[in-house]
Amino acid sequence: MSFSGIFATIKTVESPQIYVTFQWLLVAYLSIYLPKLFYYLGYQITHSAIRVKSKFSSDGKIKKMNDGRYPTISRKKFLSQVGIFMASAPFISLMFGVMKGRFAFSKRYTKLSFPNLPEAFDGLKIVQISDLHLGSLNANYKEMEEAVRLINDEHPDLVCFTGDLVNNFYEETIGWEKVFSKLQARMGKFSILGNHDYGDYSKWPSQQDKTDNLNNIKGAHMRLGFNLLNNQSQVLESNGDKIVITGVENWGHPPFPQYGDLKKASKGVEDIPFKLLLSHDPDHWDAEVKKDYDYDLTLAGHTHGMQFGIEFKNFQWSPAKYKFRRWAGLYNEGNQYLYVNRGLGYLGMPARVGMPPEITIIELTRGPLGTEPM
């Protein structure tokens, strides 16, 4: 998941710096103990395999297969080298994820066609980003400026940010307007709140302090150039044709909050022919959206793809699949689509291994319902 479960238990956080401190302590801990764990597992697995094999040899020992052509190696040394090899793999992966992977931005392209898309919006290009977690980025402005450049190079019509601007605190947003205000989109930049944006993962001196923090985070969306949609809809018009973009507050299964009110957000736009929804948590799509509403395309984030996984051609795996039914990429049921962005930032672990930060590019076309690669 998005590591939100971890931070949901940290109820005494009083400063945004605690997240940065925690994530680097976690890297230090894992860099020491993860290799030891894999060394032990490699040693034990290989030792067990040798014991099993020895039972099938004629003299109860492992047969020498090289007939003296190569130097022999003792069992102890062999087991030790296997353990070292297995210990090196997670250490190298972790270091790559920290040093390179967390900023190895990946563009993912999808082309979707809808028969009800108005002609004036044929070819509409949407760029989706999600889960910035600015407090975790710790003033890496230069790296994120590269992400902004990659987005602007696509010349999008819409930029949609699907929540989790911060880890918990308004102060995390300070200084980032000089980066994200440079995002360009012909028809506008729209955003929603995620579960981390409400300040729920901290104790506050008073309810007013928590409310002020939330209001300042909402104001930060505007400072960064986004039109924040809190259970609201915005009608977009071109040459007399209309589509609607709707944004709901966070709606998730417990322990994640359910502030979203899709009924309120959808009021008055029922007759618009094409509907786009921004909802942070992909669980919302199965629980409510596709059952009770006619949104053609829903954009979500939240999962981060667990910041770890394996993706090769049509094969996808991540621990996130054991928490979320829809955890990354495109999903379809009936005439409705959901796209789950893997996140642009990171939380908990300042690393991404096999799950690079994602910039999603979706082109909408008018035609028979379907999808094709761009």
Side-chain angles (χ1 to χ4, degrees):
M1 57 177 162
S2 64
F3 293 99
S4 298
I6 295 174
F7 286 105
T9 64
I10 304 177
K11 292 294 187 179
T12 59
V13 174
E14 297 179 354
S15 165
Q17 187 59 36
I18 189 63
Y19 291 96
V20 177
T21 303
F22 174 85
Q23 67 186 18
W24 289 110
L25 286 175
L26 185 58
V27 167
Y29 179 86
L30 290 178
S31 65
I32 295 171
Y33 288 101
L34 197 62
K36 291 183 177 181
L37 173 62
F38 275 77
Y39 177 90
Y40 174 79
L41 291 175
Y43 188 98
Q44 292 297 324
I45 291 171
T46 307
H47 180 69
S48 298
I50 290 175
R51 290 181 60 186
V52 171
K53 185 176 180 181
S54 68
K55 294 180 179 180
F56 294 93
S57 62
S58 59
D59 57 359
K61 299 179 181 179
I62 299 175
K63 294 180 178 180
K64 297 177 181 178
M65 303 300 293
N66 61 18
D67 294 327
R69 289 173 292 181
Y70 302 101
T72 59
I73 183 172
S74 68
R75 175 185 296 188
K76 183 177 180 181
K77 187 174 182 180
F78 175 70
L79 292 174
S80 178
Q81 289 184 350
V82 170
I84 292 172
F85 174 79
M86 291 193 65
S88 299
F91 179 79
I92 293 172
S93 297
L94 177 61
M95 291 300 101
F96 176 83
V98 171
M99 299 176 68
K100 295 290 186 180
R102 61 185 172 133
F103 295 124
F105 304 112
S106 171
K107 289 185 178 182
R108 294 180 182 263
Y109 294 87
T110 299
K111 190 173 184 177
L112 300 173
S113 61
F114 297 89
N116 57 315
L117 183 71
E119 288 186 11
F121 292 91
D122 188 8
L124 184 77
K125 183 182 284 189
I126 302 170
V127 167
Q128 181 198 4
I129 57 174
S130 192
D131 298 88
L132 286 172
H133 292 282
L134 295 179
S136 297
L137 294 176
N138 196 26
N140 284 289
Y141 300 125
K142 183 178 179 180
E143 288 80 2
M144 298 311 292
E145 285 173 351
E146 173 63 13
V148 170
R149 184 191 67 79
L150 291 171
I151 293 170
N152 287 340
D153 284 349
E154 294 294 328
H155 304 289
D157 298 301
L158 295 175
V159 170
C160 297
F161 170 58
T162 47
D164 275 0
L165 181 65
V166 299
N167 293 333
N168 210 50
F169 299 98
Y170 150 72
E171 287 83 1
E172 299 169 45
T173 70
I174 295 174
W176 283 101
E177 58 271 11
K178 64 184 179 184
V179 177
F180 290 102
S181 62
K182 296 177 182 178
L183 281 172
Q184 299 173 5
R186 183 176 64 88
M187 301 187 73
K189 300 180 290 184
F190 297 89
S191 64
I192 56 173
L193 298 176
N195 57 296
H196 275 267
D197 295 323
Y198 295 93
D200 288 342
Y201 303 135
S202 177
K203 285 186 177 180
W204 297 90
S206 68
Q207 182 59 43
Q208 186 60 50
D209 288 312
K210 182 180 180 182
T211 300
D212 290 344
N213 184 70
L214 176 58
N215 288 335
N216 285 331
I217 289 172
K218 292 177 180 178
H221 280 256
M222 291 186 288
R223 281 201 347 263
L224 270 59
F226 290 103
N227 181 358
L228 179 63
L229 298 175
N230 275 338
N231 298 324
Q232 296 170 294
S233 291
Q234 176 78 48
V235 176
L236 303 178
E237 186 170 352
S238 178
N239 295 331
D241 289 335
K242 296 179 181 180
I243 65 171
V244 66
I245 178 170
T246 298
V248 294
E249 297 192 54
N250 192 83
W251 192 106
H253 293 304
F256 303 115
Q258 294 185 357
Y259 298 119
D261 188 339
L262 191 50
K263 182 177 181 180
K264 174 184 176 182
S266 305
K267 188 174 182 180
V269 297
E270 295 84 357
D271 295 332
I272 303 296
F274 185 88
K275 300 181 179 67
L276 171 66
L277 174 66
L278 309 183
S279 181
H280 179 67
D281 193 320
D283 283 349
H284 189 205
W285 193 67
D286 283 301
E288 184 177 31
V289 177
K290 70 183 179 64
K291 294 194 304 182
D292 302 324
Y293 295 86
D294 60 347
Y295 282 92
D296 301 278
L297 174 62
T298 299
L299 303 180
H302 184 55
T303 72
H304 297 205
M306 206 70 167
Q307 296 171 210
F308 173 80
I310 301 171
E311 297 187 282
F312 181 72
K313 294 184 178 180
N314 294 326
F315 176 78
Q316 285 187 329
W317 179 87
S318 165
K321 69 178 294 182
Y322 304 112
K323 172 64 176 178
F324 297 98
R325 183 180 179 187
R326 325 282 184 174
W327 60 273
L330 186 68
Y331 302 89
N332 166 241
E333 286 195 16
N335 60 354
Q336 294 179 290
Y337 283 92
L338 166 72
Y339 193 94
V340 183
N341 180 282
R342 295 161 179 83
L344 196 62
Y346 47 85
L347 176 66
M349 173 63 67
R352 282 181 173 268
V353 180
M355 196 63 58
E358 178 177 352
I359 297 168
T360 307
I361 299 97
I362 300 175
E363 182 180 342
L364 304 184
T365 61
R366 181 179 173 88
L369 187 71
T371 180
E372 60 182 279
M374 289 175 61

